[in-house]
Amino acid sequence: MTLRMAPLDLMTKLISFPTVSSETNLPLIDWVEDYLSSHGITAHRWPDPDQPHKAALFAHVGPDVEGAVVLSGHTDVVPVEGQPWDTDPWMVVEANGRYYGRGTCDMKGYDALAIWALVEAHYAELRTPMQLALSFDEEVGCTGAPPMIRAMQGVVPKGRTVIVGEPSMMKAVTGHKGGNAWRTHVIGFEMHSSLQDRSVSAIHEAARLIGWANDMNEAAAAATPGPLAAKFDPPFTTWHVGTIQGGTADNITAKDCHFNMGYRAVPGDDTDALDKAWLDKVAQVEAAMKRIRPEAEIRLTPKFAVPPLLPEDMGRAETLARALTGDNGSHVVSYGTEAGQFQDAGYSAVVCGPGDIAQAHQPNEFIEVAQFEAGHQFMRDLVTRLCQ
């Protein structure tokens, strides 16, 4: 009889693959595909044509009908370089009631539970089908989920209810912020800094754009939030630049400046209007640059776009998560997930997974053993429910 691995063993195996977003996830995908195949489960992979070293994987068990519950997780993790780990980050170490390792919390712990549940469901007499969906590149802007979702259509029956297992302490999160970002390249005209009036400093012009972001944040913070926005912390849309590079010397006006501009939008904010506000500001600054030097310009490249998760009116996913967890609270988060992308594709979606988001991306990342066990019980109860 083919071995049915326990959730902890599955998590230990998944974490042994160092699937940092900049690296390949294919060894993990190969292993999961082989493991599911050993149980007679057909897994489908979607290879990224632009990144041959990346692939998503999805599978369906139970009746060959629409309406499945989809367990969605991502396979990539953030880097460990520069972090002071006390243990090997690619091994699961149990200590002090915790499982330590990169991805235990975000989110290979949930992935392991979802794989366990899919195999158990395969051997059960399901009346409602179950699906597994494992994406890539979530940590760099949720860019791997949309093509995976499109690839699923017509290959497996259309699912209806999606549980995205980001760490939420097993609470039903029904709303989260969305986001958009652009790689921004300001191209100036370099001259000796004593001739600054005849040159265009890419850094100075970039500063105008970043100053605009500060103004937008201050205006949003001063405004009265709407009832939906008021649930978030902070209760408004925020603009942010995390990194910036530019210039060659202190006495040369900078020819180039590179930075990423992005925002995190509360559900209900008009993201088209936010996009337009940024593009209009860029156009304004660029026009002023060109009046000094026609060669100057600003180039924008879309980096990612993550839609918000909107609370649904008696949504199927929320109802299911509450029934399985007993959680009746109202929960929203300020980070983004793939739930909004599933929602945009016509699924009912909720975020519900074990662990505390505060541990994500940290050195000595961990998930409490009790949280992992709570996730295991959630999956047991889900399989039982899908048989009814």
Side-chain angles (χ1 to χ4, degrees), residues 189 191 195-201 205 208 285-296:
F189 187 84
M191 296 182 71
L195 303 174
Q196 186 171 349
D197 62 319
R198 280 161 271 181
S199 63
V200 175
S201 169
E205 301 307 319
R208 298 184 197 277
V285 171
E286 184 182 59
M289 293 165 57
K290 285 182 175 296
R291 284 194 290 270
I292 301 172
R293 296 297 312 193
E295 307 96 317

Side-chain angles (χ1 to χ4, degrees), residues 337-380:
T337 79
E338 297 168 341
Q341 294 168 327
F342 274 101
Q343 191 178 65
D344 273 7
Y347 296 78
S348 175
V350 68
V351 177
C352 187
D356 186 344
I357 193 64
Q359 305 308 323
H361 305 182
Q362 297 298 307
N364 297 323
E365 177 183 346
F366 67 83
I367 187 171
E368 298 279 355
V369 173
Q371 274 291 300
F372 193 67
E373 289 303 321
H376 191 188
Q377 188 60 53
F378 177 96
M379 293 301 181
R380 290 193 197 96

Side-chain angles (χ1 to χ4, degrees), residues 84-98:
W85 282 76
D86 297 326
T87 61
D88 183 341
W90 310 116
M91 293 179 60
V92 175
V93 176
E94 182 178 358
N96 306 315
R98 300 168 175 174

Side-chain angles (χ1 to χ4, degrees), residues 8-345:
L8 178 57
D9 295 329
L10 287 165
M11 179 171 67
T12 299
K13 185 64 180 181
L14 296 181
I15 285 175
S16 71
F17 297 104
T19 52
V20 176
S21 302
S22 59
E23 305 299 329
T24 183
N25 75 333
L26 293 185
L28 182 151
I29 294 296
D30 291 342
W31 185 86
V32 174
E33 185 174 22
D34 289 345
Y35 178 68
L36 295 180
S37 178
S38 74
H39 289 282
I41 300 172
T42 300
H44 309 270
R45 67 167 67 197
W46 182 83
D48 185 348
D50 297 323
Q51 300 183 96
H53 61 297
K54 300 284 184 72
L57 180 141
F58 52 91
H60 175 105
V61 300
D64 193 29
V65 298
E66 295 187 351
V69 172
V70 184
L71 304 179
S72 170
H74 60 82
T75 60
D76 58 320
V77 295
V78 298
V80 299
E81 283 73 21
Q83 293 187 334
W85 282 76
D86 297 326
T87 61
D88 183 341
W90 310 116
M91 293 179 60
V92 175
V93 176
E94 182 178 358
N96 306 315
R98 300 168 175 174
Y99 294 126
Y100 291 90
R102 173 58 87 220
T104 49
C105 177
D106 184 20
M107 62 180 302
K108 290 180 178 177
Y110 176 83
D111 292 346
L113 292 167
I115 294 168
W116 178 87
L118 191 80
V119 171
E120 293 302 307
H122 174 64
Y123 290 107
E125 296 184 4
L126 295 187
R127 300 186 65 180
T128 301
M130 178 187 290
Q131 293 177 359
L132 173 73
L134 298 178
S135 70
F136 59 91
D137 283 359
E138 190 274 348
E139 297 291 5
V140 290
C142 296
T143 57
M148 177 189 70
I149 295 168
R150 291 192 294 269
M152 293 170 67
Q153 312 310 310
V155 176
V156 293
K158 177 68 178 282
R160 181 181 298 162
T161 305
V162 178
I163 301 171
V164 177
E166 293 282 359
S168 72
M169 297 295 288
M170 298 309 302
K171 304 296 184 183
V173 171
T174 58
H176 66 60
K177 291 186 176 183
N180 206 347
W182 298 262
R183 294 184 179 90
T184 305
H185 181 191
V186 182
I187 303 172
F189 187 84
E190 62 183 352
M191 296 182 71
H192 193 281
S193 58
S194 65
L195 303 174
Q196 186 171 349
D197 62 319
R198 280 161 271 181
S199 63
V200 175
S201 169
I203 290 177
H204 283 219
E205 301 307 319
R208 298 184 197 277
L209 298 173
I210 297 170
W212 172 87
N214 286 333
D215 293 341
M216 293 289 285
N217 288 340
E218 291 173 6
T224 301
L228 180 54
K231 297 179 181 180
F232 287 83
D233 182 19
F236 52 87
T237 294
T238 56
W239 293 81
H240 177 69
V241 172
T243 60
I244 186 168
Q245 301 86 32
T248 55
D250 289 342
N251 61 350
I252 302 175
T253 55
K255 180 181 178 181
D256 297 287
C257 187
H258 300 264
F259 63 94
N260 294 330
M261 176 68 79
Y263 64 75
R264 291 182 181 271
V266 293
D269 268 13
D270 186 343
T271 54
D272 288 339
L274 292 169
D275 294 349
K276 185 177 185 302
W278 166 243
L279 297 177
D280 286 349
K281 183 61 180 179
V282 168
Q284 176 191 357
V285 171
E286 184 182 59
M289 293 165 57
K290 285 182 175 296
R291 284 194 290 270
I292 301 172
R293 296 297 312 193
E295 307 96 317
E297 63 176 314
I298 302 175
R299 297 176 184 173
L300 299 180
T301 304
K303 190 170 185 286
F304 64 80
V306 181
L309 174 65
L310 298 171
E312 303 169 8
D313 184 16
M314 300 298 293
R316 295 181 63 89
E318 175 186 357
T319 300
L320 176 61
R322 293 193 187 285
L324 294 172
T325 63
D327 170 39
N328 291 314
S330 178
H331 309 286
V332 297
V333 293
S334 290
Y335 57 83
T337 79
E338 297 168 341
Q341 294 168 327
F342 274 101
Q343 191 178 65
D344 273 7

